[in-house]
Amino acid sequence: MNYTISEITSNKDNLGKEVTINGWVNNLRLLGKIGFIELRDVSGKIQVIVKDQELMEKAKKLTEESCAGCKGILQHKKDDPTKYELALSNLEIHSIAKSLPFTNRVIDELKPNEDTTQKYRYLYLRTERAQKNMLVRSRITKIMRDYLYDLGFNEFETPILGKSTPEGARDYLVPSRVHKGSFYALPQSPQLYKQLLMVAGMQRYFQIAKCFRDEDLRADRQPEFTQLDIEMSFINEEDLFELIEGLLKTIWKEVKGVDIKTPFMRMDYMDAITKYGSDKPDLRFGMEFNDSGNQIYFEADKNESVLEYLKSQRSVYFEEKGNKVKVFVEKPEKEFDYKPYNTLGTARLEVASRLGLNKGEDKFLWVHNFPMFEYSEEEKRFSATHHPFTKPVNIDEKEMYKIKSYAYDVVLNGMELGGGSIRINNMEMQKQVFKMLGLTEESARSKFGFFLDAFEAGIPPHGGIALGLDRLVMLIAGENSIREVIAFPKSKNAEGLMEGSPSDVSKDQLIELGLKLGKSK
Amino acid sequence: MNYTISEITSNKDNLGKEVTINGWVNNLRLLGKIGFIELRDVSGKIQVIVKDQELMEKAKKLTEESCAGCKGILQHKKDDPTKYELALSNLEIHSIAKSLPFTNRVIDELKPNEDTTQKYRYLYLRTERAQKNMLVRSRITKIMRDYLYDLGFNEFETPILGKSTPEGARDYLVPSRVHKGSFYALPQSPQLYKQLLMVAGMQRYFQIAKCFRDEDLRADRQPEFTQLDIEMSFINEEDLFELIEGLLKTIWKEVKGVDIKTPFMRMDYMDAITKYGSDKPDLRFGMEFNDSGNQIYFEADKNESVLEYLKSQRSVYFEEKGNKVKVFVEKPEKEFDYKPYNTLGTARLEVASRLGLNKGEDKFLWVHNFPMFEYSEEEKRFSATHHPFTKPVNIDEKEMYKIKSYAYDVVLNGMELGGGSIRINNMEMQKQVFKMLGLTEESARSKFGFFLDAFEAGIPPHGGIALGLDRLVMLIAGENSIREVIAFPKSKNAEGLMEGSPSDVSKDQLIELGLKLGKSK
């Protein structure tokens, strides 16, 4: 077994003994009579001292980022007895690195663009930052699993090759060779499978699951992403909130050494919108909205940057008031027109940012009592705010706008960490929701018939949540992009720049699948 | 939080107290003055006693497999004080089950066929057998992760949307909408990604990974399967063997309570073939092959069943010798013609089975020193026995047949649990192997260029293994089919019979992908 630098140096028995350390040449200095090799592995770095002239000649073949095994006596550094160095007695060169677009040592000077760090991902993953991020990600998933297993959860795998039921985002499709003309779909989430596991009586399910969405590209989306997916039977919102609060508390404590306060604050969706203009308010600062009858407004400190921003805005207005500024919009006429609130909410965030207020202690929050449906002006129809399996609170309400649901989001500093709901466990109610969404009975049956059948098999009350792993790790690692915490991310164009995916495939492959390319290539 | 039956009854504080138990009606007896409900959940069963007449009337609405919450005093059973029962004081009916194709209680009588158990998977997963299997699977993955994290491994996720590099089995393809006419491929294994993680310096990688193969259908294959995927830098075969022996020892101990002996026996591929006619010999019985110069043979006990089988065979011969039988084939003329050995190996297994010898203590075994290449008579060309990234032992050998490799399989009772190899970490050698496999330089570059580039970045010596999780769980659970240990398996026709996948998709979906269906639908 090979030991890492930190494993070797943390074992005091190794001091004064001959050990072998394998790693990468982080830096080299071989002029004069004494040479130095800075050797690096995933656990740290160590200085290797070269005195023997034969070894010096051999070491001169090395280049930065070459891979080598150094044997020698482990000793304290002369100028710093808290550190170690290795007095080289034998050198094995595993492989020589040629000229590289960037190296760990000079990446901060070279600042390669993101395409380059993706194309040469194996080099980028050698940097301290990337390695730390990968290890934190691995550690967080371990903590999640330990926490959930301890509470009697089990991890169950659900299929990646499933059925296409387009609702909302687009599915990735997988043509079937055996059943030509038919397609599997990659899951946008394991939603129906996990609900069926509850019908099966599994009671406490989780899975760290790969999910897929063929969405139009946004800055920080990936075609494939990972979520911690949870479902439980015989629970209510309270049980779920407590579970997730305990989980996040454990992660923050173990990874960041920070005690977060539980229970988290809770806020009604309506309050979040009318007080902060957002369903995921950032509570690290105040600037709550007030209602003057015909205006909604907030007050904030002012500085030049704030005024410059406010002057550039057309849809929000402002008045200077001494050292303060009052920012406002006109109150909407219709009761359920949230647009002016959202506009003011955007201004609130920008003003806070320009005042440097968006920092400090992490503020966790549950937003709940989401509306069951939301109206899309473009599509001229209602869709499910969360998803159509969410349990409505007051389904008999005539105004669809006013129907609330047992849906909830966990929010951190204005970012959604995850969301879930208590699910419908009554077939008539499920059918009614499908109908309200404009699904005909035939169409509901053809898409979800197998799921509706399960309502007649003794379906338990159940609910769950999904936390986005990529974003959670990003926040804990202090990164600004999820691509920094994914080993092999896709580019903004959904391309794998390293391996070159997606790519052409052979005619034979297409013929086998019964497919032809359209004209529009 | 809801507690399971076993959680409630294992906490002695609950005795004599009012508790609520949620579950499914496994059986019902409501005649006379006292009624009995047998309530079941994933953890066990409990008898609920109904005395109150109002509750009796309510309970009569229940059907088998309905879901209900029973509140009552937890007490010892009168006739068996080691067991518990619940004296019902309140009944909440969560949902009524209608007529079902089978229930947990009667499945052994009804013996539904496999299509039915797949179509109504949520019912099948209610059976004791299926629930036990799912829980064992979850437990095994937990043990694997704990074992590997303890040894300094980390779990890294590799992409599901990758590049098609057809070699051997067919890739599942995923058409790209953004790049019309281009396709991603689902991974047959994370092979290249995990090797690149070694180039990146990650040193000890594992992943419980979903893999995909669009193969022609065999009895016990699934289009998607799960493997424990491992890769390490700076190791040799010994290190890897020790790691996996420790892992399997831990799993056998914790799940089965069985101490397995380590280190495992090791056998050269050539010995496995010439002594047992198989690269995965079952060593629970002897019947080793002998070589008489012009015959290869083994001796076995005989019984009628054995003789009947042998008489029906055309390619193996036999002679009765007292209470023994000698089974033989003609020795092949060519040195590397293993066909007669394999034929005799098949007979050995069948004879042992008919003698009832294929049972008893688990026999683990490493088979190693596999040939690097194998010749396909159909394709008239050599392919890589393991895969083209395996390190050859003697690449300069002129006869391709004679080139050995650092590939190994771990075998249990004649079944392959997993396989791996030490990898090539020298670009010239990698190119030479590609060339020997008939890949032109252009084609190697177009498929694997990004990987070849990584050889010049300081590539460490490394190796790894992949264990098939489905089969491992199947063997530990004592099942004969991997479909018994997969929550939602595909049928033998690669169909999801429950949700109905693969399925037609809309014309709009195809147009968006730039695809047309061929004629051959």
Side-chain angles (χ1 to χ4, degrees):
Chain A
M1 184 83 165
N2 175 64
Y3 295 99
T4 63
I5 293 172
S6 103
E7 286 164 349
I8 286 176
T9 56
S10 63
N11 179 352
K12 288 194 176 150
D13 288 350
N14 284 326
L15 194 63
K17 299 241 175 75
E18 196 168 60
V19 297
T20 299
I21 297 185
N22 288 292
W24 283 261
V25 175
N26 199 59
N27 206 347
L28 262 183
R29 207 143 39 93
L30 296 172
L31 303 166
K33 288 215 159 168
I34 299 187
F36 300 93
I37 304 169
E38 188 181 44
L39 204 64
R40 183 195 73 234
D41 72 12
V42 68
S43 74
K45 292 177 200 152
I46 192 166
Q47 182 154 282
V48 178
I49 315 288
V50 193
K51 288 185 174 167
D52 177 277
Q53 282 313 301
E54 214 171 299
L55 287 174
M56 186 77 93
E57 286 313 304
K58 193 167 182 186
K60 282 181 179 163
K61 293 184 192 153
L62 290 172
T63 56
E64 229 172 87
E65 296 303 317
S66 290
C67 183
C70 294
K71 196 189 223 178
I73 304 285
L74 185 72
Q75 58 197 33
H76 281 306
K77 268 188 142 178
K78 274 171 201 143
D79 54 348
D80 181 356
T82 68
K83 289 191 178 156
Y84 295 90
E85 62 184 20
L86 197 73
L88 191 70
S89 59
N90 191 36
L91 173 66
E92 188 181 359
I93 298 178
H94 297 310
S95 74
I96 296 292
K98 300 223 169 141
S99 168
L100 299 172
F102 60 89
T103 70
N104 178 66
R105 193 175 61 83
V106 297
I107 187 165
D108 289 339
E109 294 163 39
L110 288 180
K111 290 193 185 29
N113 65 27
E114 205 179 335
D115 282 3
T116 306
T117 63
Q118 282 179 25
K119 180 161 184 200
Y120 299 94
R121 199 65 180 173
Y122 46 89
L123 291 183
Y124 188 64
L125 290 174
R126 284 182 185 174
T127 64
E128 213 172 294
R129 172 179 172 186
Q131 294 199 331
K132 193 182 119 270
N133 287 343
M134 288 303 106
L135 297 182
V136 164
R137 184 181 179 112
S138 164
R139 196 159 156 225
I140 289 173
T141 59
K142 181 67 164 71
I143 294 169
M144 286 174 166
R145 287 194 167 96
D146 287 347
Y147 175 86
L148 291 167
Y149 273 99
D150 274 354
L151 291 173
F153 280 77
N154 277 286
E155 185 160 12
F156 300 114
E157 294 173 63
T158 55
I160 297 287
L161 295 172
K163 184 187 181 180
S164 182
T165 52
E167 265 294 296
R170 286 185 201 86
D171 290 324
Y172 277 105
L173 299 181
V174 182
S176 163
R177 178 178 56 86
V178 180
H179 306 276
K180 286 189 181 50
S182 294
F183 294 78
Y184 303 98
L186 304 183
Q188 297 189 26
S189 98
Q191 187 61 34
L192 294 184
Y193 290 111
K194 72 174 174 173
Q195 292 194 234
L196 289 168
L197 285 171
M198 294 303 105
V199 177
M202 291 306 186
Q203 284 211 45
R204 296 174 204 150
Y205 147 95
F206 85 95
Q207 185 181 198
I208 297 185
K210 275 283 173 86
C211 304
F212 305 83
R213 261 182 227 159
D214 186 6
E215 284 183 309
D216 286 322
L217 303 159
R218 276 196 257 167
D220 211 21
R221 292 276 179 138
Q222 287 280 307
E224 62 182 285
F225 56 98
T226 307
Q227 69 188 31
L228 170 62
D229 199 45
I230 287 176
E231 196 79 8
M232 297 163 81
S233 291
F234 312 117
I235 57 147
N236 54 31
E237 276 194 5
E238 292 300 323
D239 298 314
L240 203 287
F241 288 1
E242 201 182 306
L243 178 84
I244 298 303
E245 287 164 359
L247 173 65
L248 293 174
K249 196 182 179 77
T250 306
I251 294 171
W252 253 251
K253 182 71 186 170
E254 292 195 21
V255 181
K256 299 184 80 176
V258 170
D259 279 303
I260 58 179
K261 279 174 221 116
T262 54
F264 298 164
M265 197 182 153
R266 293 172 196 188
M267 195 180 283
D268 255 44
Y269 172 85
M270 278 303 292
D271 289 336
I273 295 292
T274 56
K275 298 239 157 92
Y276 303 96
S278 168
D279 61 359
K280 39 181 187 287
D282 190 339
L283 298 185
R284 287 175 299 177
F285 45 90
M287 296 156 59
E288 259 184 52
F289 297 175
N290 289 295
D291 185 334
S292 71
N294 52 7
Q295 287 177 357
I296 337 160
Y297 67 93
F298 68 85
E299 290 186 339
D301 291 336
K302 74 178 193 201
N303 65 19
E304 273 190 37
S305 171
V306 167
L307 292 175
E308 183 190 25
Y309 164 71
L310 289 172
K311 281 176 194 160
S312 75
Q313 295 303 300
R314 288 194 206 163
S315 42
V316 291
Y317 310 97
F318 70 101
E319 278 168 20
E320 296 184 56
K321 287 177 130 188
N323 56 355
K324 294 268 183 186
V325 67
K326 176 185 162 185
V327 186
F328 62 96
V329 292
E330 278 179 42
K331 205 176 163 183
E333 284 170 26
K334 279 189 277 179
E335 193 181 354
F336 289 96
D337 180 6
Y338 303 136
K339 227 172 168 182
Y341 291 95
N342 287 326
T343 304
L344 195 63
T346 306
R348 174 181 173 269
L349 291 180
E350 186 58 34
V351 169
S353 162
R354 285 166 186 254
L355 293 168
L357 299 174
N358 54 351
K359 61 188 181 196
E361 197 186 327
D362 285 332
K363 291 284 186 186
F364 291 88
L365 166 75
W366 287 106
V367 177
H368 62 156
N369 269 320
F370 273 76
M372 181 71 195
F373 304 104
E374 58 190 11
Y375 191 74
S376 160
E377 286 291 347
E378 292 132 51
E379 298 183 53
K380 299 280 175 222
R381 67 179 190 100
F382 280 98
S383 64
T385 307
H386 189 54
H387 56 53
F389 315 110
T390 301
K391 189 172 175 174
V393 174
N394 52 337
I395 194 161
D396 293 330
E397 165 62 47
K398 292 284 173 292
E399 290 263 39
M400 274 178 79
Y401 281 117
K402 291 186 180 168
I403 300 179
K404 302 281 180 190
S405 72
Y406 293 101
Y408 34 79
D409 278 356
V410 57
V411 170
L412 169 62
N413 303 339
M415 303 266 254
E416 182 199 324
L417 289 182
S421 63
I422 303 299
R423 325 297 184 186
I424 298 172
N425 74 321
N426 171 303
M427 183 152 79
E428 290 317 310
M429 189 183 274
Q430 184 66 71
K431 283 184 174 171
Q432 195 177 339
V433 168
F434 282 151
K435 197 175 162 190
M436 292 169 92
L437 288 168
L439 236 70
T440 64
E441 207 156 319
E442 299 75 53
S443 157
R445 183 122 283 280
S446 121
K447 280 183 181 172
F448 302 112
F450 70 101
F451 183 64
L452 287 170
D453 287 344
F455 280 84
E456 301 197 319
I459 183 170
H462 63 290
I465 196 167
L467 302 182
L469 182 70
D470 305 303
R471 185 180 285 170
L472 183 69
V473 176
M474 176 190 93
L475 290 173
I476 293 176
E479 292 289 353
N480 284 315
S481 157
I482 58 170
R483 295 183 299 278
E484 291 294 337
V485 298
I486 296 173
F488 300 100
K490 296 285 185 294
S491 74
K492 291 180 190 176
N493 281 325
E495 291 171 300
L497 297 177
M498 184 183 70
E499 75 278 9
S501 69
S503 66
D504 290 348
V505 295
S506 71
K507 266 203 180 131
D508 288 350
Q509 280 175 289
L510 292 179
I511 289 168
E512 276 204 318
L513 295 172
L515 290 180
K516 288 193 275 188
L517 298 184
K519 289 170 219 156
S520 56
K521 174 145 187 197
Chain B
M1 184 81 166
N2 173 64
Y3 295 98
T4 64
I5 294 173
S6 103
E7 285 164 350
I8 286 177
T9 56
S10 63
N11 178 352
K12 288 197 176 142
D13 289 349
N14 284 326
L15 195 63
K17 300 241 176 74
E18 196 168 59
V19 297
T20 298
I21 297 185
N22 287 292
W24 284 261
V25 175
N26 200 57
N27 206 347
L28 262 181
R29 208 144 37 91
L30 296 173
L31 304 167
K33 290 214 157 170
I34 300 186
F36 299 94
I37 303 169
E38 189 182 43
L39 204 65
R40 185 195 72 233
D41 73 10
V42 67
S43 75
K45 292 176 200 152
I46 192 164
Q47 183 155 280
V48 178
I49 315 288
V50 193
K51 288 187 175 164
D52 177 275
Q53 282 313 301
E54 213 171 300
L55 289 174
M56 186 78 92
E57 285 313 305
K58 191 166 184 189
K60 280 181 180 163
K61 292 184 193 153
L62 290 172
T63 56
E64 228 171 87
E65 296 302 319
S66 289
C67 183
C70 295
K71 196 189 223 180
I73 304 285
L74 186 71
Q75 58 197 33
H76 281 306
K77 268 189 141 175
K78 275 172 199 139
D79 55 346
D80 182 355
T82 67
K83 289 191 178 155
Y84 295 91
E85 61 184 20
L86 197 73
L88 191 69
S89 59
N90 191 36
L91 173 65
E92 186 181 359
I93 297 177
H94 296 310
S95 76
I96 297 290
K98 299 222 170 141
S99 169
L100 299 172
F102 60 89
T103 70
N104 177 65
R105 193 176 61 84
V106 298
I107 188 166
D108 288 340
E109 294 161 40
L110 288 180
K111 292 193 184 31
N113 65 28
E114 206 180 334
D115 282 3
T116 306
T117 64
Q118 282 179 27
K119 181 160 185 202
Y120 299 95
R121 199 64 180 175
Y122 46 89
L123 292 183
Y124 188 64
L125 289 173
R126 286 183 183 173
T127 64
E128 211 171 294
R129 173 179 172 186
Q131 294 200 330
K132 193 181 119 271
N133 288 344
M134 287 305 105
L135 296 182
V136 164
R137 185 181 178 112
S138 165
R139 195 157 159 228
I140 289 172
T141 59
K142 181 66 164 72
I143 295 168
M144 286 174 166
R145 287 193 165 97
D146 287 347
Y147 176 87
L148 291 166
Y149 273 99
D150 274 352
L151 291 173
F153 280 77
N154 277 285
E155 185 160 13
F156 301 114
E157 294 173 63
T158 54
I160 297 288
L161 295 172
K163 184 187 182 182
S164 182
T165 53
E167 265 293 296
R170 287 184 199 87
D171 290 325
Y172 277 105
L173 298 181
V174 182
S176 163
R177 178 178 57 86
V178 181
H179 306 277
K180 286 191 183 46
S182 293
F183 294 77
Y184 304 98
L186 303 182
Q188 297 189 26
S189 98
Q191 187 62 35
L192 294 184
Y193 290 111
K194 72 174 175 173
Q195 292 194 234
L196 289 167
L197 285 170
M198 293 304 105
V199 177
M202 291 305 185
Q203 283 212 46
R204 294 173 206 151
Y205 147 95
F206 85 95
Q207 185 181 198
I208 296 185
K210 274 283 173 85
C211 305
F212 305 84
R213 260 181 227 161
D214 186 7
E215 284 183 307
D216 286 321
L217 304 158
R218 276 196 256 167
D220 211 20
R221 291 278 179 134
Q222 289 278 307
E224 62 182 285
F225 57 97
T226 307
Q227 69 187 31
L228 170 62
D229 199 46
I230 287 176
E231 197 79 8
M232 299 164 80
S233 290
F234 311 118
I235 58 146
N236 55 32
E237 275 194 5
E238 292 301 323
D239 298 314
L240 201 289
F241 289 1
E242 202 183 306
L243 177 82
I244 297 303
E245 286 164 0
L247 173 65
L248 294 174
K249 196 183 180 78
T250 306
I251 294 172
W252 253 250
K253 181 74 186 171
E254 291 194 21
V255 180
K256 301 184 78 176
V258 169
D259 280 303
I260 58 179
K261 278 173 222 118
T262 53
F264 299 163
M265 199 182 152
R266 295 174 194 185
M267 197 180 283
D268 255 46
Y269 172 86
M270 277 303 291
D271 288 336
I273 295 291
T274 56
K275 298 238 158 95
Y276 302 96
S278 168
D279 60 0
K280 40 181 184 288
D282 189 339
L283 298 185
R284 288 175 297 176
F285 44 90
M287 296 158 58
E288 258 184 52
F289 298 174
N290 288 296
D291 185 335
S292 71
N294 52 9
Q295 287 176 358
I296 338 160
Y297 68 93
F298 68 86
E299 289 186 341
D301 291 337
K302 73 179 193 198
N303 65 19
E304 273 189 39
S305 171
V306 167
L307 291 175
E308 185 190 24
Y309 163 72
L310 291 172
K311 280 175 195 161
S312 75
Q313 295 302 299
R314 288 194 206 162
S315 41
V316 290
Y317 311 96
F318 71 102
E319 278 167 23
E320 297 183 54
K321 284 177 129 187
N323 54 358
K324 296 267 183 185
V325 66
K326 176 185 163 185
V327 185
F328 61 95
V329 294
E330 277 181 45
K331 204 175 162 182
E333 282 172 26
K334 279 188 278 178
E335 195 182 352
F336 288 95
D337 179 5
Y338 303 135
K339 225 172 171 182
Y341 290 96
N342 286 326
T343 304
L344 194 62
T346 305
R348 174 180 173 270
L349 290 180
E350 186 59 34
V351 169
S353 162
R354 286 167 183 252
L355 292 168
L357 299 174
N358 54 352
K359 61 189 181 193
E361 198 186 326
D362 286 332
K363 290 285 185 183
F364 292 88
L365 166 74
W366 288 105
V367 177
H368 61 157
N369 269 320
F370 273 76
M372 181 72 194
F373 304 103
E374 58 190 10
Y375 191 74
S376 159
E377 286 292 345
E378 291 132 53
E379 299 184 51
K380 299 283 173 215
R381 67 181 189 99
F382 280 98
S383 63
T385 308
H386 190 53
H387 56 55
F389 315 108
T390 302
K391 188 171 176 176
V393 174
N394 52 336
I395 195 161
D396 293 331
E397 166 63 47
K398 292 284 172 290
E399 290 264 39
M400 273 178 79
Y401 282 117
K402 291 186 181 167
I403 300 179
K404 302 283 180 189
S405 72
Y406 294 102
Y408 34 79
D409 277 356
V410 57
V411 171
L412 169 61
N413 304 338
M415 304 266 255
E416 184 199 322
L417 290 183
S421 63
I422 303 299
R423 325 298 183 185
I424 298 171
N425 75 321
N426 172 302
M427 182 152 80
E428 291 316 311
M429 190 184 273
Q430 186 65 71
K431 284 184 173 171
Q432 195 176 340
V433 168
F434 283 151
K435 195 174 163 191
M436 291 169 93
L437 288 168
L439 237 69
T440 64
E441 207 156 320
E442 297 77 52
S443 155
R445 182 124 282 280
S446 122
K447 282 182 180 174
F448 303 112
F450 70 102
F451 183 65
L452 287 169
D453 286 346
F455 281 85
E456 300 196 321
I459 183 170
H462 63 290
I465 195 167
L467 302 183
L469 183 69
D470 305 302
R471 186 180 285 170
L472 183 69
V473 176
M474 174 190 94
L475 290 174
I476 291 175
E479 292 290 354
N480 285 315
S481 157
I482 58 170
R483 294 183 300 278
E484 291 294 337
V485 299
I486 296 173
F488 299 100
K490 295 285 186 295
S491 74
K492 290 179 189 175
N493 280 325
E495 291 170 301
L497 296 177
M498 185 183 69
E499 74 279 7
S501 70
S503 66
D504 289 349
V505 296
S506 71
K507 267 204 179 130
D508 287 352
Q509 280 175 290
L510 292 179
I511 290 169
E512 276 204 317
L513 295 172
L515 289 181
K516 288 193 273 187
L517 298 185
K519 290 170 220 157
S520 56
K521 175 147 184 197

